[in-house]
């Protein structure tokens, strides 16, 4: 018996590399969570200052401390989940809407929407750490828009390649993402 010749193997094309390097995405997640954890004593003090005002007088101090501790843990868990969701959304947007990247060294790169998340969360955490309080919504609206526009300027060469309509859409989505992230 003779063997039939086999057709050459056809390899599926590799999916394009993600706009944000995986290590950068994990570094962003760890850094923002680390900043939140650094603010933990400050946040605990803010909560403890508010609890006596809002709590009934007959509650025992130990029960109030337990309530504050539970609130802190749940807040951290909620923030971690929401941050992961936002980074996942950024990954989807970078895959389907705009693939522009900014190089961070020879092998690392960051996509536009991940950079928007960094540009809105890091200054907000630094502000909160330095001032001891979260800025009011009205006070952070203009800085968030300015930070998003600054990030868009950094990606202008990539935006010029996608056409005016797409660039406007990407800009609007980037600013909307920055606004949504700053609310958290």
């Amino acid at each position: 018996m003779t063997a039939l010749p086999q057709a050459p193997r056809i390899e599926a094309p590799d999916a394009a590399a993600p706009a944000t390097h995986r290590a950068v995405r994990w570094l962003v997640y760890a850094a923002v969570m680390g900043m939140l954890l650094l603010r933990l004593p400050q946040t605990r003090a803010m909560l403890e200052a508010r609890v006596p005002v809002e709590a009934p007088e007959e509650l025992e101090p130990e029960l109030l401390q337990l309530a504050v501790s539970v609130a802190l843990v749940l807040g951290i868990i909620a923030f971690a989940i929401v941050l992961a969701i936002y980074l996942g959304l950024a990954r989807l947007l970078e895959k389907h809407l705009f693939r522009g990247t900014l190089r961070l060294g020879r092998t690392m790169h960051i996509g536009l929407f991940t950079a928007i998340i960094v540009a809105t969360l890091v200054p907000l955490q630094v502000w909160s750490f330095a001032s001891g309080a979260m800025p009011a919504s009205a006070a952070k609206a203009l800085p968030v828009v300015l930070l998003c526009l600054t990030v868009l300027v950094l990606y202008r060469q990539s935006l010029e390649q996608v056409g005016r309509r797409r660039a406007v859409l990407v800009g609007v989505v980037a600013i909307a993402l920055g606004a949504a992230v700053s609310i958290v």
Side-chain angles (χ1 to χ4, degrees):
M1 291 186 105
T2 62
L4 295 173
Q6 292 187 351
R9 288 182 57 136
I10 298 176
E11 306 250 345
D14 290 339
T20 300
H21 193 274
R22 173 180 270 166
V24 172
R25 190 175 321 280
W26 281 106
L27 181 65
V28 166
Y29 186 81
V32 172
M33 287 304 298
M35 293 175 83
L36 182 74
L37 292 174
L38 281 175
R39 287 188 41 235
L40 200 57
Q42 183 183 49
T43 306
R44 176 179 278 286
M46 287 172 30
L47 280 174
E48 288 173 348
R50 288 183 68 184
V51 168
V53 174
E54 298 174 0
E57 293 178 13
E58 61 269 0
L59 283 179
E60 296 181 24
E62 295 83 19
L63 193 56
L64 288 175
Q65 288 297 326
L66 178 64
V68 168
S69 297
V70 169
L72 282 173
V73 169
L74 290 177
I76 290 169
I77 291 170
F79 185 83
I81 292 169
V82 170
L83 179 59
I85 290 170
Y86 278 137
L87 287 172
L89 177 62
R91 183 172 181 239
L92 285 173
L93 290 170
E94 289 168 359
K95 183 177 182 180
H96 297 290
L97 182 63
F98 182 68
R99 302 185 65 70
T101 63
L102 190 64
R103 288 254 172 236
L104 306 172
R106 289 183 15 207
T107 59
M108 301 288 191
H109 42 88
I110 186 168
L112 170 68
F113 298 105
T114 303
I116 289 288
I117 291 172
V118 171
T120 54
L121 279 180
V122 170
L124 184 63
Q125 293 294 325
V126 170
W127 168 275
S128 298
F129 188 74
S131 70
M134 295 294 284
S137 296
K140 64 181 172 181
L142 181 62
V144 165
V145 171
L146 291 175
L147 288 168
C148 291
L149 289 174
T150 302
V151 172
L152 285 166
V153 167
L154 293 174
Y155 287 82
R156 70 181 176 277
Q157 289 179 346
S158 298
L159 285 167
E160 289 171 354
Q161 297 174 359
V162 297
R164 180 172 288 174
R165 285 176 142 174
R166 184 81 169 225
V168 168
L169 176 65
V170 167
V172 168
V173 170
I175 292 170
L177 178 66
V181 168
S182 70
I183 291 170
V184 174

